[in-house]
Structure formats: C-alpha cells, structure tokens
Amino acid sequence: MAIIGIDLGTTNSLACVCKNGKPLLIPNPLGQVLTPSVVSIDQDGKILVGSVARERLISHPEASASSFKRFMGTSKVFLLAGQEFTPQELSSFVLRQLKEDAERFLGEKVTEAVISVPAYFNDHQRYATKEAGSLAGLHVERLVNEPSAAALAASRISGKEEGSYLVFDFGGGTLDVSIVDYFDNVIEIIAVSGDNRLGGDDFDEIIARRFCSLHQMDYDNLDPACQFSLLRLAEDCKRQLTGKNKADLVWEAENKKMTITHVELAELCQGIFDRVSQVVESALRDSDRASGDIDQVVLVGGSSKMPVISFYLQTLLKKKPCIIGSPDEVVAMGAGIYAGIKTRQQDIHDLVLTDICPFTLGTDVVNHSDTDNPILSPIIERNSILPCSKTRCYTNSYDNQSHICIGIFQGEAYYCRDNIKLGAIEMDILPVPAGQAHIEVCFSYDINGILEVEVTDHQKKQVRKKMLASDHLRMSQEELDERLEALQSYKLMPPGGIRTRLVLARGERLFAQLLGPRRQQAADAIQMIHNALLTQNDQQIINCLKAAQEIFDRLEGL
Ligand code: ADP
Ligand code: MG
C-alpha cells in the first residue's frame, strides 16, 4: 500500500509518489501529470474529471463546475445537472480520480495521502480538505502547507538543504508569496501574503480586452459563452507567448485576429505587476527581511512560467529566481517527498505562523441593489497581527428600526453568503430616523484565535457581547458515512475511452463556439467519430480520431 502526495489546486491538481527517494509525478490516462480541477456529470450520471470536464465547461456549463477550491469550508452549494454538491464533494471526485490513476500507475492500492493546502487556509478549509479526502476513500493524516512543500522540493532537488526561501506561487486565480525558513529539519512559515483575486486568469482577461478594443467590440457586453470562448483563446495565446516572442490570437467565429508581443504584454500588465510587487513587499515587510536575506527565490505555479514574470521578479528582488523543474509541479513534488518521508516513519516539522490572523473577520451590511444578499464589511482584515482589536460604526437602515442582527463572518468574499458565518448578535436599539443610530461594533481577536464581538448602541447605552471559537460547519461521522455512501453511486468515467471522450468533448465545445460552415465542420467531424466507433475497428477509430483532431486544430487556428 502506497502513500501519495497530492497538490489539490484551484486550477490543476497533481499526484506524486516517492520512489527510491525521488519524487515521481503520476500521469493520468491521457499521459499528462496535470489534471484540471474541473468536474462534470455526463448524461449517464458518470463523473468526468479533468480535461474532458474542462471542455464541457463551455459545451455543458449547467453540468460542470470549476474553481471550487475557492469555496472550501464555506456553505456554498454547486448545482450540476440538477444535483447539489458541496465544494468538498466536488474536490473528492478530483481526489478519487488521482487515487485511481495512481493505483493503475503503481499497480497497488493507495489508501493514504498527504494533501497540500495554502498556508492561509483556516481551520474550516483544512477540515473540509480532510473531509474531501475521506469522501474519496483516502486517509489524510497529514495536510502540508503549499509553500512548505515547495521549499522542501526546492531544497531537496537543488541539493541546498537549509536556508531562507521566498516562495512565489502564481497560479490560475491566486498569488501567494511566503517567506519560509528551513533549518534543523523544521520548516517554518515566517510570513504569508497574497492576493486571492490575482492570477493567470487576469492575463487572459487583459489579452481578451485588448483584442476587443482592437476590434471595436465591447468585452463586458459579450454574451457569457462568447466571453468564455474568447478567454480560452486568450489563454492559448498567453501560453504560446511563454515559448516565443510573439503570438497570434485568431478568433475564427468572429473572423478576427490579433498579434501580440512580449513587450506589448508587459505594457498591458503594468497594473498586475504593481499588485505583484505589493504582495512581495508585504511578505518581506511582515517577515522583517530584506531581499538580501533570502537564499532562494522559488518560482511556483503555472503563471510563474511566463518570462515577463521571472524577469519582473528578478528586477524587483535583484536575485535570479530558481526554477526547479516545471513551476506548476513543484508543490506536488514537495507533497510527494513528504509522503515518502512519512512512509519511512520519519518526520519534518511544518509550522505555520500563529501570530497573524490569516483571514478577514467582518459583519454584514445591506446591499441596496439586492437586499437578500448582504455584503461583507471587513472589521479585522487578514494578516492583522494578533492580538488585535478593531471597531467600526454602523447605523440603522430604515426609520424607527427597533431591532438589529449583527452577523459575524469570516472570509474574503464580497457577498456574505460566500463567507463563513461564525454567529450573530441580536439586540434592540432605540428607534430613530434612518441613518441616525450610532452602533459601534468591536471585534477583538486574541492570540489563541478566540474572537470576542461587542456591539454598543450609544443612544440606548446598551452593550451586547459574544465569544466565539469556531467549530461548526463540520459533518458528524454519521453524516460523513451517509454522504460517502451517496457518493459511491457516482462512478468515474473508466479510463479506457478517455482519449475518444476528449476529442468528442472538444468537438462539442467547438460546435458551441463556432457558427455557420465552421460549426458544420465540427458537427461532421463528431459524426465521423461516432461512425468509426460503430465499426469497432481499432485502426479505423485511431485514424479517424487523428483526422478529427486535425480538423479541430484547423478550426481553432492552431
Ligand atoms: P493552481 O495552483 O491555481 O491550480 P497552476 O499552478 O496549475 O494553478 O496554474 C494555472 C495557471 O497557469 C493558468 O492560469 C494557466 O493559464 C497558467 N499557465 C500554465 N502554463 C503556462 C504557460 N506555459 N505560460 C503561461 N501561463 C501558463
Ligand atoms: Mg497551486
């Protein structure tokens, strides 16, 4: 029985095993080590995970979901083909896929995993990740922090055991910068800083907007399907730019084209670079380090592959970043090394800083454009140093309001419903005209993570207090067993026909994207594949898939 390491990413997930002391990434049935963290349900109720599901995000949006890691530990529910799933259930499908791929690759059962999570993940998010593991039939004794895994991989692979690391992790939708010390077998996270709304997606959008302005189109008013297609084309264009000096974005459906160079991209992305430098500087500031104190800058995440990024970082930190293998594989390698260490019953201690509050705490305020959907008003912002006490003032929203309910939320999302509700304080207030009440809300967060909330109505001279230590939103063992049983009835797509499924899914996606004769060509190619499948002649099927791929490549302008 083997233990594997898993990087369960927002955009992509990977599994890794340690063989003879070396991390070995596990390929999926398509022969790729990166499996997109996308889940889709097909018409037979089978679960598709990865590239096929990613194609279906466009052709079958109502049956597909992505980016669910953002909502781990919240009560958000995703609706796929009319069925409800929590973020941890969707994650469990990804984990189950990685587990089955690993079992096929290794030829043995996999029952245990070390899963990496962002350093700033709070207790709920960590618990939800473990729950996803249980739902996938994996025992998750250990979660490891992503920057720690990256630092471990960097030190092992570069042969430099100890030192101070700056881990720059730039993924699909998030940027995380961590200062990590690795000394005497202890990996310690000294500071984390991040922007959870900044990632590869932003480059895609910038390229797409540039394309629209060049062709007098209004990006914001494109219909959602068109916008999605354009973003996919922009992403392809961005990836091409990683390997060469200029790249083309060809939008066949609209009969439009744009060429973009590195220099142009760098100019368009000035705003992104400013945000990147703020995050890097705040991590250094919080850790009380200067860039000269850092031994190694480790590039992590798919977006770190972009030459403009490593170039920018080198200028900012006056140090050449080190690239260990492919940046989007580093965290998985580290998780795999942890798994290997665990197999040998040894241990490395992984410490997270405890003296900052890694997430925002706030209350709900009225959303005037959608009154059922209150907005988060942050009181203690993430990365505040503990202990910490902050006060904000609020007022009544309508005349003679006599009662208020102050919700207490944890998280970074704009809408309260996407954050974790920790509790609420209710109290009667003095009825006065709207906007004239003077309600003070004070949040005090101590070093042990206990939050005290105090609400004061100055006119009524009344105070209400509440202490909170968060431990709800967890499933009981019975609930867990029940969901486990329910999820067992969802079967993953068997690996056999996966290549065919991917070509077909791509064809259906193109059918959804294209119009007129080009759309007909996609339809003809799909029909051609179905006809070949009916013959059950392997050679004929292989030839036909190849021909269809060529048609699709041409339709996409590749
Ligand atoms: P996450 O940690 O969010 O799961 P990854 O580390 O896999 O994500 O990064 C995904 C992002 O990396 C996507 O935005 C993707 O477009 C980008 N990316 C992947 N490869 C390249 C490349 N060669 N050039 C530029 N961007 C890339
Ligand atoms: Mg990642």
Side-chain angles (χ1 to χ4, degrees):
M1 276 189 289
I3 308 184
I4 56 171
I6 292 178
D7 169 7
L8 182 62
T10 313
T11 323
N12 293 298
S13 297
L14 306 86
C16 180
V17 68
C18 233
K19 281 269 177 205
N20 307 322
K22 293 230 160 18
L24 188 60
L25 293 166
I26 296 169
N28 61 26
L30 292 164
Q32 296 152 348
V33 294
L34 257 70
T35 297
S37 306
V38 185
V39 171
S40 184
I41 300 192
D42 75 2
Q43 67 283 5
D44 308 327
K46 283 233 165 41
I47 302 290
L48 296 151
V49 173
S51 302
V52 179
R54 186 166 183 258
E55 296 288 8
R56 289 170 58 88
L57 272 177
I58 296 183
S59 58
H60 300 80
E62 72 302 328
S64 314
S66 63
S67 297
F68 30 86
K69 178 174 174 178
R70 283 191 183 280
F71 299 97
M72 286 293 260
T74 70
S75 49
K76 181 171 170 87
V77 213
F78 287 80
L79 206 60
L80 274 77
Q83 298 158 67
E84 291 192 340
F85 296 96
T86 63
Q88 53 268 49
E89 288 170 348
L90 294 174
S91 302
S92 84
F93 292 135
V94 177
L95 292 174
R96 210 196 308 166
Q97 181 75 52
L98 296 175
K99 171 184 185 300
E100 290 184 9
D101 291 347
E103 290 176 340
R104 251 190 314 275
F105 180 72
L106 299 169
E108 59 181 317
K109 280 261 161 250
V110 173
T111 49
E112 208 180 319
V114 172
I115 303 179
S116 57
V117 291
Y120 59 80
F121 252 26
N122 64 37
D123 208 36
H124 286 321
Q125 293 165 304
R126 286 169 192 265
Y127 189 82
T129 306
K130 284 192 161 191
E131 212 169 71
S134 311
L135 292 172
L138 281 169
H139 175 61
V140 186
E141 199 182 272
R142 178 74 185 259
L143 297 175
V144 37
N145 293 298
E146 287 167 7
S148 307
L152 181 64
S155 87
R156 289 289 160 100
I157 296 166
S158 69
K160 296 193 193 98
E161 271 283 313
E162 303 199 318
S164 282
Y165 294 81
L166 183 146
V167 177
F168 182 86
D169 185 347
F170 206 6
T174 51
L175 168 67
D176 298 311
V177 176
S178 320
I179 309 297
V180 181
D181 275 359
Y182 183 15
F183 293 111
D184 302 326
N185 224 27
V186 175
I187 295 185
E188 186 174 5
I189 299 179
I190 307 296
V192 286
S193 179
D195 188 328
N196 63 358
R197 294 279 161 209
L198 185 64
D201 300 346
D202 294 280
F203 293 95
D204 306 346
E205 189 180 319
I206 282 175
I207 295 173
R209 283 185 183 276
R210 167 83 186 150
F211 183 91
C212 286
S213 70
L214 200 72
H215 293 290
Q216 279 88 42
M217 297 164 80
D218 183 358
Y219 176 83
D220 294 301
N221 283 328
L222 287 179
D223 76 70
C226 267
Q227 213 180 57
F228 208 101
S229 307
L230 179 58
L231 285 173
R232 283 288 284 277
L233 295 170
E235 191 196 350
D236 283 343
C237 172
K238 172 188 77 177
R239 283 170 183 257
Q240 285 177 42
L241 260 189
T242 293
K244 42 189 197 191
N245 252 328
K246 61 179 182 188
D248 291 334
L249 193 170
V250 185
W251 199 1
E252 290 284 345
E254 299 281 335
N255 200 11
K256 293 189 169 81
K257 185 182 154 176
M258 172 179 84
T259 304
I260 187 165
T261 63
H262 269 158
V263 177
E264 283 165 348
L265 182 68
E267 277 167 14
L268 291 174
C269 296
Q270 212 44 58
I272 294 190
F273 294 139
D274 291 343
R275 286 166 73 186
V276 166
S277 81
Q278 279 174 18
V279 175
V280 171
E281 273 156 16
S282 111
L284 284 170
R285 202 170 39 241
D286 285 357
S287 67
D288 259 335
R289 308 269 165 102
S291 61
D293 302 327
I294 302 294
D295 298 313
Q296 275 202 65
V297 176
V298 186
L299 289 185
V300 179
S303 300
S304 292
K305 291 191 211 169
M306 296 172 70
V308 285
I309 292 296
S310 47
F311 184 75
Y312 180 75
L313 269 187
Q314 184 165 351
T315 320
L316 186 70
L317 295 167
K318 297 176 192 63
K319 187 170 252 105
K320 200 172 168 54
C322 73
I323 300 182
I324 296 139
S326 181
D328 42 12
E329 299 170 359
V330 177
V331 169
M333 302 248 225
I337 296 171
Y338 262 103
I341 291 168
K342 228 185 143 278
T343 314
R344 292 198 306 275
Q345 313 275 306
Q346 296 165 324
D347 209 0
I348 281 187
H349 298 285
D350 175 14
L351 307 176
V352 201
L353 67 180
T354 48
D355 56 349
I356 65 153
C357 159
F359 35 75
T360 298
L361 296 162
T363 182
D364 45 355
V365 291
V366 176
N367 175 359
H368 292 287
S369 54
D370 177 4
T371 44
D372 290 337
N373 207 358
I375 296 168
L376 180 78
S377 164
I379 297 182
I380 294 183
E381 299 223 85
R382 70 165 177 279
N383 275 358
S384 303
I385 306 218
L386 300 185
C388 160
S389 183
K390 290 253 167 74
T391 304
R392 273 187 84 159
C393 294
Y394 299 91
T395 188
N396 49 347
S397 52
Y398 55 90
D399 288 342
N400 297 322
Q401 183 175 352
S402 60
H403 188 81
I404 49 164
C405 178
I406 304 274
I408 304 158
F409 291 85
Q410 173 180 307
E412 314 303 325
Y414 180 71
Y415 293 110
C416 286
R417 59 152 194 245
D418 298 329
N419 293 306
I420 300 172
K421 185 163 188 182
L422 298 177
I425 294 185
E426 300 213 27
M427 115 177 195
D428 290 331
I429 56 170
L430 201 72
V432 289
Q436 303 217 341
H438 179 46
I439 314 289
E440 222 174 67
V441 179
C442 175
F443 277 32
S444 308
Y445 202 52
D446 77 5
I447 196 85
N448 300 312
I450 308 282
L451 175 68
E452 186 186 286
V453 178
E454 193 178 286
V455 182
T456 313
D457 176 359
H458 280 279
Q459 283 139 327
K460 204 174 178 186
K461 303 207 171 11
Q462 196 180 22
V463 184
R464 272 276 149 78
K465 261 192 204 176
K466 192 164 191 146
M467 305 274 276
L468 289 158
S470 47
D471 59 5
H472 70 292
L473 264 184
R474 297 199 167 171
M475 280 201 248
S476 66
Q477 191 58 44
E478 290 99 77
E479 280 172 312
L480 196 66
D481 290 344
E482 210 172 278
R483 279 313 282 164
L484 194 63
E485 210 183 301
L487 290 185
Q488 292 301 331
S489 64
Y490 291 99
K491 295 283 178 256
L492 295 184
M493 218 350 244
I498 195 79
R499 273 173 206 283
T500 315
R501 282 303 289 259
L502 182 59
V503 182
L504 281 171
R506 185 178 176 202
E508 288 177 38
R509 189 232 324 146
L510 284 167
F511 183 85
Q513 289 179 310
L514 299 173
L515 289 173
R518 296 190 159 270
R519 173 175 230 176
Q520 191 53 44
Q521 285 181 41
D524 293 345
I526 294 172
Q527 197 50 52
M528 176 176 84
I529 301 171
H530 284 299
N531 292 342
L533 287 172
L534 286 175
T535 66
Q536 299 193 349
N537 174 329
D538 284 349
Q539 197 52 51
Q540 203 164 330
I541 295 173
I542 291 170
N543 292 342
C544 172
L545 288 177
K546 200 160 158 259
Q549 287 280 38
E550 280 164 13
I551 295 172
F552 296 154
D553 282 350
R554 213 174 47 242
L555 289 176
E556 288 199 270
L558 295 175

